[in-house]
């Protein structure tokens, strides 16, 4: 078992009530994540009660969990660990109601034999979230509990406000953890380290030096079994108003006074307050060809599977600097990058044809994959006679550190933080409501969806949106291959 430093885990054993326990997210991330946290010693001990619409028994749930781990857990799994984990699982079908759920939690707490805490995880679509909250209230499971809510938090300003009001009828705000898993990604937190632990970059982190910013998260995957959920959601609500705007806040915020939830939340909310309303004329909505023929999709669906937009943060640091955001399904490549383009020098002494400026401006690029990378590109001299310039780069790759195995998957990190009651990487009701507010115009008068071919980079009009600049992806120069000795 890995050696876990003291203090990183919760003090008390945990009883996790996992709503949506047989769903896509539970299979891909939550069960593998809970398995890792339990078996690697991050949590003193843990019982997990699965809840879902499926009419299965505990053995059925154990089998479902095992198949999820076989498919999605990518570390070593021993038979001993699996047996211990399997015996910590229990299951209550939703139809069994509040008394059965309460009885399962009582059993779990008794089996722990010591003081414990409850973590309710709502991995369910927005339409099902409030009934799960009511069920928890009815079952008397609110005390000693924290509740993790999955996005989207509402679908617009009025519904997010309403959701928060209803939530507060059962849980106090301090108990509610609104999760945005992009903030749990190691490289997202590294943005804070990079910006605020170094004296080198912060002085140039503003409109005087930065020309524009791109946050680009194309995905190759389609919707699979999620089309029912996605039809109601679309790319903007699924990805932008949540993940991409949260990343934007880390990228754009002022230095917080401390690495604590309140100061960080305050600085992020200031960014959101300074955002100009999203102008529908600065938005490209797309839908991949074939989406309308998928199971669960309206044959005349106007849901966007792609979105690209330009937005502005109208404060002293960022006034006039465009932020370009893009994400979509079934695109040419799966990437998650932030790319910062620096202003070019005002004058050039280099003769025409030397290559200066020919490969775009200097860029700082963050790759938000678990195996994160960073690159700073600049012009340098090509060896030999004369003065020919080439784009060069300084690169960091997590691979090369040999520490990749230490990276906690985003959900693992955030589940652990919620168990410890640490809200630093969670979003606030105020911030979310403001993001819906800046989205109102777009949600009320969205531009028409344009079709794009699967495997492309989206509808053609994305180029007009960003002109005279260009999308960084696909990269002209690939990342340096990882050092084989590093990992
Ligand atoms: C989820 C979205 O929140 O994030 C999905 O609902 C998306 O549509 C996923 O695919 C992307 O997350 P990651 O961690 O795989 O980049």
């Amino acid at each position: 078992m890995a050696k876990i430093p003291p203090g990183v885990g919760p003090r008390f054993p945990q009883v996790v009530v996992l709503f949506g326990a047989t769903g896509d997210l539970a299979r891909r991330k939550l069960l593998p994540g809970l398995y890792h946290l339990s078996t690697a010693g991050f949590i003193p001990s843990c019982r997990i009660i699965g809840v879902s619409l499926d009419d299965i028994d505990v053995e059925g749930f154990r089998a479902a969990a095992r198949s999820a781990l076989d498919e999605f857990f990518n570390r070593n799994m021993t038979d001993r660990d699996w047996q211990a984990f399997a015996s910590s699982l229990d299951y209550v079908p939703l139809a069994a109601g509040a008394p059965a759920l309460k009885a399962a939690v009582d059993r779990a707490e008794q089996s722990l034999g010591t003081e414990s805490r409850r973590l309710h995880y709502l991995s369910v679509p927005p339409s099902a979230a409030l009934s799960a909250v009511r069920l928890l209230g009815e079952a008397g499971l609110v005390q000693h509990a924290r509740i993790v809510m999955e996005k989207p938090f509402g679908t617009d300003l009025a519904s997010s406000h309403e959701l928060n009001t209803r939530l507060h009828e059962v849980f106090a705000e301090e108990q509610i953890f609104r999760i945005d898993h992009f903030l749990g990604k190691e490289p997202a937190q590294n943005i804070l380290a990079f910006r605020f632990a170094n004296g080198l970059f912060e002085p140039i982190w503003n409109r005087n030096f930065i020309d524009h910013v791109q946050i680009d998260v194309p995905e190759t995957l389609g919707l699979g079994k999620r089309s029912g959920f996605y039809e109601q959601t679309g790319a903007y609500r699924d990805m932008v108003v949540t993940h991409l705007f949260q990343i934007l806040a880390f990228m754009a915020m002022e230095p917080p006074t401390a690495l604590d939830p309140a100061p960080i939340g305050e600085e992020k909310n200031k960014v959101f307050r300074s955002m100009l309303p999203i102008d529908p004329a600065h938005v490209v909505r797309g839908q991949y060809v074939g989406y309308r023929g998928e199971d669960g999709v309206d044959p005349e669906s106007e849901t966007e599977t792609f979105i690209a937009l330009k937005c502005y943060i109208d404060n002293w640091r960022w006034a006039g600097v465009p932020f370009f955001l893009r994400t979509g399904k079934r695109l040419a490549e799966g990437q998650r990058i932030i790319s910062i383009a620096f202003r070019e020098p005002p004058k050039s002494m280099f003769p025409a044809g030397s290559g200066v400026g020919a490969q775009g401006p200097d860029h700082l690029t963050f790759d938000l994959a678990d195996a994160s990378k960073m690159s700073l590109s600049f012009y340098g001299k090509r060896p030999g006679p004369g003065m020919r310039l080439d784009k060069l780069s300084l690169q960091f790759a997590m691979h090369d550190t040999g520490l990749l195995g230490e990276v906690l998957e985003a959900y693992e990190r955030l589940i652990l933080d919620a168990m410890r009651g640490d809200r630093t990487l969670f979003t606030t009701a105020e911030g979310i409501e403001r993001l819906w507010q800046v989205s109102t115009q777009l949600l009320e008068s969205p531009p028409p969806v344009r079709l794009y071919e699967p495997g492309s980079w989206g509808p053609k009009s994305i180029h007009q949106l960003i002109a005279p600049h260009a999308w960084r992806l696909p990269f002209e120069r690939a990342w340096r291959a990882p050092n084989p000795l590093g990992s």
Side-chain angles (χ1 to χ4, degrees):
M1 192 182 284
K3 220 167 165 16
I4 311 296
V8 298
R11 268 179 64 208
F12 297 106
Q14 303 284 316
V15 174
V16 178
V17 178
L18 177 57
F19 284 83
T22 54
D24 185 66
L25 180 64
R27 282 177 52 70
R28 281 190 304 118
K29 301 288 185 184
L30 305 178
L31 289 166
L34 285 164
Y35 178 85
H36 182 220
L37 293 178
S38 308
T39 56
F42 285 98
I43 316 175
S45 55
C46 183
R47 298 282 181 275
I48 299 163
I49 302 164
V51 181
S52 90
L53 288 169
D54 290 348
D55 187 18
I56 51 173
D57 60 9
V58 62
E59 285 313 321
F61 181 48
R62 285 181 182 144
R66 177 68 205 218
S67 99
L69 291 176
D70 286 340
E71 195 172 346
F72 296 109
F73 186 67
N74 45 25
R75 299 175 190 253
N76 284 338
M77 213 165 114
T78 66
D79 202 44
R80 203 160 131 246
D81 283 350
W82 161 250
Q83 294 302 341
F85 185 72
S87 68
S88 76
L89 300 178
D90 198 353
Y91 184 79
V92 178
L94 200 59
L101 182 57
K102 171 78 169 101
V105 172
D106 285 347
R107 268 198 311 276
E109 288 175 345
Q110 275 156 23
S111 77
L112 287 167
T114 170
E115 191 175 350
S116 60
R117 294 288 179 269
R118 298 164 178 165
L119 187 81
H120 305 309
Y121 198 118
L122 266 51
S123 173
V124 294
S127 51
L130 277 179
S131 52
V133 168
R134 283 193 211 103
L135 181 70
L136 289 166
E138 210 182 304
L141 296 174
V142 174
Q143 258 205 340
H144 298 308
R146 301 188 174 109
I147 181 165
V148 180
M149 304 280 301
E150 268 293 333
K151 49 102 231 198
F153 311 100
T155 51
D156 56 17
L157 179 57
S159 61
S160 76
H161 195 70
E162 168 76 10
L163 177 64
N164 284 328
T165 310
R166 295 279 157 268
L167 263 173
H168 290 151
E169 288 169 4
V170 182
F171 287 96
E173 181 62 21
E174 313 77 72
Q175 294 178 286
I176 304 170
F177 288 69
R178 295 175 189 80
I179 195 165
D180 189 304
H181 80 277
F182 267 52
L183 297 183
K185 289 180 187 284
E186 192 78 44
Q189 297 157 55
N190 214 3
I191 299 172
L192 299 184
F194 186 87
R195 288 191 55 196
F196 303 128
N198 302 295
L200 184 56
F201 304 103
E202 208 42 33
I204 55 167
W205 211 261
N206 58 54
R207 64 193 299 282
N208 298 326
F209 298 90
I210 292 179
D211 183 71
H212 70 275
V213 177
Q214 298 182 27
I215 301 180
D216 205 356
V217 185
E219 296 181 282
T220 51
L221 49 89
L223 291 162
K225 295 198 189 112
R226 297 177 71 222
S227 42
F229 157 79
Y230 201 80
E231 260 292 271
Q232 311 300 317
T233 313
Y236 185 73
R237 290 183 171 99
D238 184 39
M239 292 291 288
V240 179
V241 91
T242 51
H243 308 322
L244 271 58
F245 282 160
Q246 293 296 331
I247 292 293
L248 178 135
F250 269 16
M251 147 69 205
M253 73 189 194
E254 298 300 316
T257 49
L259 191 66
D260 288 326
I264 290 198
E266 184 176 280
E267 295 307 334
K268 282 170 60 192
N269 289 347
K270 276 162 64 185
V271 172
F272 299 147
R273 283 203 290 276
S274 304
M275 271 174 83
L276 294 179
I278 307 297
D279 180 348
H282 293 162
V283 177
V284 175
R285 290 171 72 237
Q287 188 187 75
Y288 63 78
V289 174
Y291 173 72
R292 289 179 190 176
E294 289 185 9
D295 269 357
V297 175
D298 177 350
E300 291 176 19
S301 172
E302 290 287 311
T303 299
E304 79 283 350
T305 59
F306 171 98
I307 189 146
L309 60 84
K310 172 163 74 169
C311 62
Y312 290 95
I313 302 166
D314 199 23
N315 61 15
W316 276 52
R317 191 187 279 263
W318 297 114
V321 176
F323 286 75
F324 297 99
L325 276 46
R326 168 170 71 171
T327 184
K329 305 291 184 203
R330 308 236 15 218
L331 296 177
E333 286 175 28
Q335 293 265 5
R336 308 175 194 92
I337 65 152
I338 306 179
S339 170
I340 296 162
F342 291 96
R343 287 190 190 283
E344 299 189 38
K347 287 273 173 202
S348 177
M349 63 181 196
F350 299 98
S354 64
V356 69
Q359 297 171 76
D362 299 347
H363 284 116
L364 179 63
T365 309
F366 295 85
D367 182 333
L368 301 182
D370 283 345
S372 63
K373 302 195 247 343
M374 288 176 213
S375 152
L376 181 63
S377 70
F378 54 90
Y379 286 88
K381 184 185 169 302
R382 189 188 292 178
M387 184 56 101
R388 290 273 304 146
L389 299 165
D390 259 339
K391 202 74 182 289
L392 311 176
S393 65
L394 297 169
Q395 292 192 12
F396 162 81
M398 181 66 80
H399 263 116
D400 295 344
T401 63
L403 295 175
L404 196 52
E406 313 274 308
V407 172
L408 283 183
E409 200 280 330
Y411 280 98
E412 295 174 357
R413 162 71 199 235
L414 293 174
I415 291 172
L416 197 62
D417 283 0
M419 287 175 168
R420 293 169 51 237
D422 182 341
R423 310 160 64 80
T424 312
L425 297 172
F426 289 81
T427 60
T428 63
E430 182 197 332
I432 288 165
E433 288 185 16
R434 170 64 187 161
L435 289 175
W436 286 122
Q437 194 180 28
V438 299
S439 308
T440 303
Q441 224 182 322
L442 173 65
L443 296 176
E444 286 177 356
S445 343
V449 284
R450 311 228 172 263
L451 294 179
Y452 62 96
E453 287 300 326
S456 71
W457 287 94
K460 305 244 169 338
S461 42
I462 53 169
H463 301 297
Q464 276 143 268
L465 178 75
I466 203 167
H469 316 295
W471 293 98
R472 284 297 308 290
L473 294 175
F475 284 131
E476 279 171 42
R477 290 165 299 282
W479 292 96
R480 199 183 59 212
N483 170 359
L485 298 176
S487 49

